[in-house]
Amino acid sequence: LGYDVSAIGQVSILVVLIGAVVAFFLVPFLPKLPFMIGHMIETGGTLGIVDSISTFHTQIRTFDGKIVFIPNALLMAGKIVNYSYTPNRRVELKLSVDIDCDLGRCRLLLLDIMSSDDRVLNDPGPAGFVMDANAAGVAMTGYCWVCNSDWLSARSDLWLQLVEMFQDDQAVSLSFDKQEILLSGEVNK
Protein backbone atom coordinates (compact mmCIF):
# COMPACT_ATOMS: atom_id res chain seq x y z
CA LEU A 1 0.00 0.00 0.00
CA GLY A 2 2.99 2.24 0.30
CA TYR A 3 2.50 3.21 3.96
CA ASP A 4 5.11 2.80 6.69
CA VAL A 5 3.49 0.49 9.27
CA SER A 6 6.49 0.13 11.53
CA ALA A 7 5.25 2.96 13.79
CA ILE A 8 1.80 1.32 14.12
CA GLY A 9 3.45 -2.01 14.99
CA GLN A 10 5.59 -0.40 17.68
CA VAL A 11 2.58 1.43 19.19
CA SER A 12 0.54 -1.80 19.14
CA ILE A 13 3.27 -3.73 20.94
CA LEU A 14 3.62 -0.93 23.49
CA VAL A 15 -0.18 -0.86 24.14
CA VAL A 16 -0.27 -4.66 24.59
CA LEU A 17 2.68 -4.58 27.00
CA ILE A 18 1.21 -1.74 29.07
CA GLY A 19 -2.20 -3.50 29.15
CA ALA A 20 -0.60 -6.78 30.32
CA VAL A 21 1.36 -5.04 33.09
CA VAL A 22 -1.71 -3.11 34.28
CA ALA A 23 -3.85 -6.27 34.22
CA PHE A 24 -1.16 -8.29 36.02
CA PHE A 25 -0.90 -5.76 38.86
CA LEU A 26 -4.53 -4.63 39.12
CA VAL A 27 -6.48 -7.92 38.78
CA PRO A 28 -5.67 -9.09 42.34
CA PHE A 29 -7.16 -5.85 43.70
CA LEU A 30 -10.43 -5.98 41.75
CA PRO A 31 -13.40 -7.25 43.78
CA LYS A 32 -14.28 -10.87 43.12
CA LEU A 33 -17.39 -12.77 44.17
CA PRO A 34 -16.62 -15.53 46.72
CA PHE A 35 -18.55 -18.22 44.84
CA MET A 36 -18.86 -19.87 41.43
CA ILE A 37 -21.68 -21.31 39.35
CA GLY A 38 -23.00 -24.46 41.03
CA HIS A 39 -22.12 -23.42 44.60
CA MET A 40 -24.77 -23.51 47.32
CA ILE A 41 -24.84 -20.10 49.01
CA GLU A 42 -27.00 -18.13 51.43
CA THR A 43 -27.20 -14.36 51.23
CA GLY A 44 -29.78 -11.83 52.32
CA GLY A 45 -32.18 -14.58 53.46
CA THR A 46 -31.93 -16.46 50.15
CA LEU A 47 -30.54 -20.01 50.12
CA GLY A 48 -29.94 -21.80 46.84
CA ILE A 49 -27.63 -22.83 44.02
CA VAL A 50 -25.86 -20.21 41.89
CA ASP A 51 -27.15 -20.62 38.31
CA SER A 52 -25.36 -17.74 36.58
CA ILE A 53 -23.20 -14.71 37.24
CA SER A 54 -23.24 -11.63 35.00
CA THR A 55 -21.62 -8.24 35.28
CA PHE A 56 -24.61 -6.76 37.08
CA HIS A 57 -26.40 -9.57 38.92
CA THR A 58 -26.20 -13.16 40.16
CA GLN A 59 -29.02 -15.63 39.54
CA ILE A 60 -29.79 -18.07 42.39
CA ARG A 61 -32.16 -21.04 42.10
CA THR A 62 -33.81 -21.70 45.48
CA PHE A 63 -34.81 -25.16 46.64
CA ASP A 64 -38.51 -24.40 46.19
CA GLY A 65 -38.00 -23.62 42.48
CA LYS A 66 -37.80 -19.81 42.53
CA ILE A 67 -35.21 -17.93 40.50
CA VAL A 68 -33.83 -14.94 42.42
CA PHE A 69 -31.80 -12.18 40.76
CA ILE A 70 -29.56 -10.34 43.23
CA PRO A 71 -27.50 -7.30 42.17
CA ASN A 72 -23.78 -7.96 42.60
CA ALA A 73 -23.39 -4.66 44.46
CA LEU A 74 -25.80 -5.94 47.14
CA LEU A 75 -24.01 -9.29 47.26
CA MET A 76 -20.65 -7.65 47.84
CA ALA A 77 -22.10 -5.39 50.57
CA GLY A 78 -23.81 -8.21 52.48
CA LYS A 79 -22.94 -11.43 54.25
CA ILE A 80 -22.45 -14.49 52.02
CA VAL A 81 -22.33 -18.03 53.40
CA ASN A 82 -20.82 -20.46 50.88
CA TYR A 83 -21.58 -24.07 51.83
CA SER A 84 -19.62 -25.50 48.89
CA TYR A 85 -16.13 -24.62 50.15
CA THR A 86 -16.18 -27.02 53.08
CA PRO A 87 -16.28 -30.77 52.50
CA ASN A 88 -18.06 -31.58 55.79
CA ARG A 89 -20.91 -29.96 57.67
CA ARG A 90 -22.22 -30.33 61.23
CA VAL A 91 -25.71 -31.62 61.97
CA GLU A 92 -27.21 -30.21 65.15
CA LEU A 93 -30.17 -31.99 66.75
CA LYS A 94 -31.79 -29.90 69.51
CA LEU A 95 -34.54 -31.54 71.53
CA SER A 96 -36.34 -31.00 74.81
CA VAL A 97 -36.70 -34.13 76.94
CA ASP A 98 -39.21 -34.67 79.75
CA ILE A 99 -37.49 -34.04 83.08
CA ASP A 100 -38.86 -37.30 84.54
CA CYS A 101 -37.34 -39.62 81.91
CA ASP A 102 -34.01 -41.46 82.13
CA LEU A 103 -31.62 -38.76 80.86
CA GLY A 104 -28.62 -41.08 80.64
CA ARG A 105 -30.56 -43.55 78.51
CA CYS A 106 -31.87 -40.72 76.35
CA ARG A 107 -28.32 -39.45 75.71
CA LEU A 108 -27.12 -42.97 74.86
CA LEU A 109 -30.00 -43.49 72.43
CA LEU A 110 -29.24 -40.15 70.79
CA LEU A 111 -25.58 -41.16 70.36
CA ASP A 112 -26.58 -44.62 69.05
CA ILE A 113 -28.87 -43.14 66.41
CA MET A 114 -26.15 -40.80 65.16
CA SER A 115 -23.44 -43.49 65.26
CA SER A 116 -25.54 -46.06 63.41
CA ASP A 117 -25.99 -43.82 60.34
CA ASP A 118 -23.34 -44.62 57.70
CA ARG A 119 -23.22 -40.99 56.56
CA VAL A 120 -22.09 -39.75 59.99
CA LEU A 121 -18.31 -39.31 60.10
CA ASN A 122 -16.18 -40.92 62.79
CA ASP A 123 -13.74 -38.01 63.04
CA PRO A 124 -14.98 -36.03 64.86
CA GLY A 125 -17.38 -38.54 66.32
CA PRO A 126 -20.97 -37.87 67.39
CA ALA A 127 -21.49 -36.11 70.72
CA GLY A 128 -24.51 -35.47 72.92
CA PHE A 129 -24.79 -32.87 75.67
CA VAL A 130 -27.32 -31.63 78.21
CA MET A 131 -27.50 -27.91 77.55
CA ASP A 132 -30.15 -26.65 79.98
CA ALA A 133 -32.80 -27.77 82.44
CA ASN A 134 -35.93 -26.01 83.62
CA ALA A 135 -39.49 -26.83 84.67
CA ALA A 136 -40.52 -27.47 81.05
CA GLY A 137 -37.82 -30.10 80.46
CA VAL A 138 -34.17 -30.80 79.76
CA ALA A 139 -32.56 -29.36 76.63
CA MET A 140 -30.29 -31.89 74.92
CA THR A 141 -28.25 -31.34 71.78
CA GLY A 142 -26.61 -33.93 69.57
CA TYR A 143 -23.79 -33.02 67.21
CA CYS A 144 -22.37 -35.05 64.35
CA TRP A 145 -20.54 -34.34 61.08
CA VAL A 146 -21.51 -35.53 57.61
CA CYS A 147 -20.31 -34.83 54.07
CA ASN A 148 -21.70 -31.56 52.78
CA SER A 149 -23.59 -33.33 49.98
CA ASP A 150 -25.35 -35.60 52.54
CA TRP A 151 -26.24 -32.87 55.05
CA LEU A 152 -29.92 -32.34 54.25
CA SER A 153 -30.86 -36.01 53.82
CA ALA A 154 -28.83 -37.15 56.85
CA ARG A 155 -30.35 -34.44 59.04
CA SER A 156 -33.86 -35.39 57.95
CA ASP A 157 -33.29 -39.13 58.48
CA LEU A 158 -31.75 -38.58 61.92
CA TRP A 159 -34.78 -36.53 63.00
CA LEU A 160 -37.14 -39.25 61.76
CA GLN A 161 -35.23 -41.88 63.75
CA LEU A 162 -35.31 -39.67 66.86
CA VAL A 163 -39.07 -39.19 66.65
CA GLU A 164 -39.58 -42.95 66.20
CA MET A 165 -37.32 -43.63 69.19
CA PHE A 166 -39.35 -41.32 71.42
CA GLN A 167 -42.59 -42.92 70.26
CA ASP A 168 -41.38 -46.51 70.77
CA ASP A 169 -39.34 -46.31 73.99
CA GLN A 170 -41.29 -45.86 77.24
CA ALA A 171 -38.18 -44.77 79.19
CA VAL A 172 -37.72 -41.58 77.16
CA SER A 173 -40.18 -38.89 76.12
CA LEU A 174 -40.15 -35.42 74.66
CA SER A 175 -41.34 -32.55 76.79
CA PHE A 176 -44.03 -30.15 75.75
CA ASP A 177 -44.31 -26.48 76.59
CA LYS A 178 -46.65 -26.07 79.51
CA GLN A 179 -48.45 -23.02 80.73
CA GLU A 180 -50.44 -22.91 83.93
CA ILE A 181 -53.12 -20.29 84.49
CA LEU A 182 -54.24 -19.78 88.06
CA LEU A 183 -57.48 -17.93 88.67
CA SER A 184 -58.08 -16.31 91.98
CA GLY A 185 -61.57 -15.45 93.12
CA GLU A 186 -64.82 -15.90 91.25
CA VAL A 187 -65.57 -14.48 87.88
CA ASN A 188 -68.84 -12.43 87.75
CA LYS A 189 -71.12 -13.21 84.85
Side-chain angles (χ1 to χ4, degrees):
L1 293 174
Y3 294 108
D4 184 20
V5 291
S6 62
I8 295 174
Q10 291 173 350
V11 170
S12 298
I13 290 173
L14 187 61
V15 167
V16 168
L17 286 175
I18 290 173
V21 168
V22 167
F24 179 76
F25 286 110
L26 288 183
V27 164
F29 299 106
L30 294 175
K32 187 169 85 173
L33 295 173
F35 52 82
M36 296 182 286
I37 294 173
H39 280 189
M40 181 171 60
I41 67 167
E42 181 177 7
T43 180
T46 302
L47 173 67
I49 305 294
V50 177
D51 269 352
S52 68
I53 302 169
S54 73
T55 307
F56 301 108
H57 69 271
T58 297
Q59 180 178 327
I60 298 175
R61 181 177 29 89
T62 64
F63 294 108
D64 60 351
K66 294 185 284 189
I67 302 294
V68 180
F69 295 89
I70 302 176
N72 289 339
L74 287 177
L75 281 173
M76 293 302 286
K79 178 175 115 175
I80 300 170
V81 179
N82 188 336
Y83 295 105
S84 298
Y85 280 141
T86 57
N88 302 327
R89 193 166 170 195
R90 186 180 77 182
V91 174
E92 185 176 300
L93 304 169
K94 291 184 176 184
L95 52 134
S96 183
V97 180
D98 193 350
I99 201 159
D100 295 329
C101 73
D102 185 351
L103 297 176
R105 177 169 170 72
C106 185
R107 183 176 175 271
L108 286 175
L109 288 171
L110 177 63
L111 290 172
D112 285 344
I113 286 174
M114 291 186 292
S115 298
S116 66
D117 195 310
D118 294 334
R119 295 167 293 191
V120 173
L121 303 175
N122 293 327
D123 187 28
F129 301 99
V130 172
M131 305 301 276
D132 190 18
N134 57 38
V138 176
M140 296 186 95
T141 304
Y143 299 104
C144 63
W145 288 83
V146 297
C147 291
N148 199 354
S149 58
D150 293 332
W151 183 80
L152 194 57
S153 63
R155 183 176 180 264
S156 175
D157 291 345
L158 288 170
W159 271 116
L160 287 172
Q161 290 176 23
L162 275 171
V163 170
E164 288 175 9
M165 175 200 58
F166 281 104
Q167 288 176 343
D168 295 341
D169 196 324
Q170 299 300 320
V172 295
S173 62
L174 290 174
S175 68
F176 299 101
D177 288 339
K178 300 170 188 157
Q179 183 177 13
E180 289 185 26
I181 300 174
L182 302 173
L183 299 175
S184 62
E186 264 186 52
V187 178
N188 295 331
K189 291 185 179 183

